[in-house]
Amino acid sequence: METANTVKASKITLSELMLPSHSNFSGKIHGGYLLKLMDQIAFACASKYSGCYCVTASVDTVDFLNPVEIGELVTLKASVNYVGKTSMVVGIRVTSEHIQTGIKKHCNSSYFTMVAKDESGNNVKVPKLIISNMEEVRRFYDSINRIENKKKYKELEMTFDYHSEDALNNLKNYNVEISEKLLNN
């Protein structure tokens, strides 16, 4: 019998007060530190859902929408949005809160693809996802769309002729200068 799990069973929340040791040279919280926290919560979420050790296979776009300040409380919320045979897409939302004023900011959202592993490092089948409401349906389909778009992009990347005269001429539309050496080859 195949196992199944709910989205609710995967949900994890992590909160941490941002300290001066987490800041970059401009006094804001370092993006790399936030990525580390996101990777930790993605691991915890995927492992909780699958019951297995999980590794990060890929990270989709991370757009830093608002800076995080020293002294703010950062909260990360994660849940499994999609499952394949051995992989899961974990959606993560990061917010920060100024603890004196209570003002909250959405800092970023991202999607981590995690793969379940056994003790020998082999991929392991993950439980089916039980979808319980329309928001979960939307998130599942959004994940399918991101996966399909990634496949299309890879196909385009493999078939695009960067050496063609059209490709080189098209570069004139961008903030780039083509060396004479390149044009004469």
Side-chain angles (χ1 to χ4, degrees):
M1 186 169 121
E2 286 193 64
T3 59
N5 231 337
T6 62
V7 172
K8 185 177 180 182
S10 75
K11 290 189 176 187
I12 299 255
T13 301
L14 171 71
S15 294
E16 186 173 328
L17 185 64
M18 294 295 103
L19 304 174
S21 61
H22 303 139
S23 67
N24 60 24
F25 294 112
S26 66
K28 308 294 184 202
I29 300 307
H30 197 284
Y33 186 75
L34 293 174
L35 284 170
K36 175 183 163 193
L37 293 176
M38 293 169 74
D39 193 49
Q40 288 175 355
I41 198 168
F43 166 81
C45 179
S47 295
K48 179 181 178 187
Y49 177 83
S50 67
C52 300
Y53 177 76
C54 295
V55 297
T56 306
S58 71
V59 179
D60 283 355
T61 305
V62 179
D63 294 320
F64 293 97
L65 306 173
N66 288 294
V68 179
E69 306 290 336
I70 295 169
E72 290 184 330
L73 183 66
V74 167
T75 300
L76 299 92
K77 293 186 177 191
S79 65
V80 171
N81 291 352
Y82 168 90
V83 298
K85 290 185 177 98
T86 62
S87 65
M88 299 147 279
V89 173
V90 175
I92 303 169
R93 181 180 174 90
V94 180
T95 57
S96 66
E97 178 181 0
H98 188 283
I99 54 178
Q100 279 102 9
T101 65
I103 295 173
K104 294 181 182 178
K105 301 179 288 189
H106 177 206
C107 300
N108 67 47
S109 295
S110 189
Y111 304 93
F112 281 54
T113 300
M114 308 297 290
V115 177
K117 300 283 186 176
D118 65 15
E119 297 80 22
S120 302
N122 300 311
N123 291 359
V124 176
K125 190 172 181 181
V126 296
K128 283 186 173 184
L129 185 63
I130 300 170
I131 298 176
S132 305
N133 58 54
M134 292 310 290
E135 180 65 15
E136 292 171 2
V137 169
R138 182 191 65 77
R139 289 178 177 171
F140 194 90
Y141 272 113
D142 285 351
S143 294
I144 291 171
N145 288 334
R146 275 190 305 280
I147 291 165
E148 290 301 316
N149 285 336
K150 201 185 283 190
K151 287 178 187 174
K152 287 177 188 173
Y153 178 75
K154 281 184 181 179
E155 287 173 17
L156 176 64
E157 202 173 54
M158 291 183 331
T159 60
F160 184 75
D161 183 7
Y162 296 96
H163 298 94
S164 72
E165 190 175 330
D166 287 341
L168 292 174
N169 285 331
N170 186 49
L171 289 176
K172 294 175 184 173
N173 296 319
Y174 299 92
N175 190 21
V176 65
E177 186 174 318
I178 303 166
S179 73
E180 289 297 321
K181 180 181 175 185
L182 180 63
L183 290 174
N184 294 330
N185 282 338

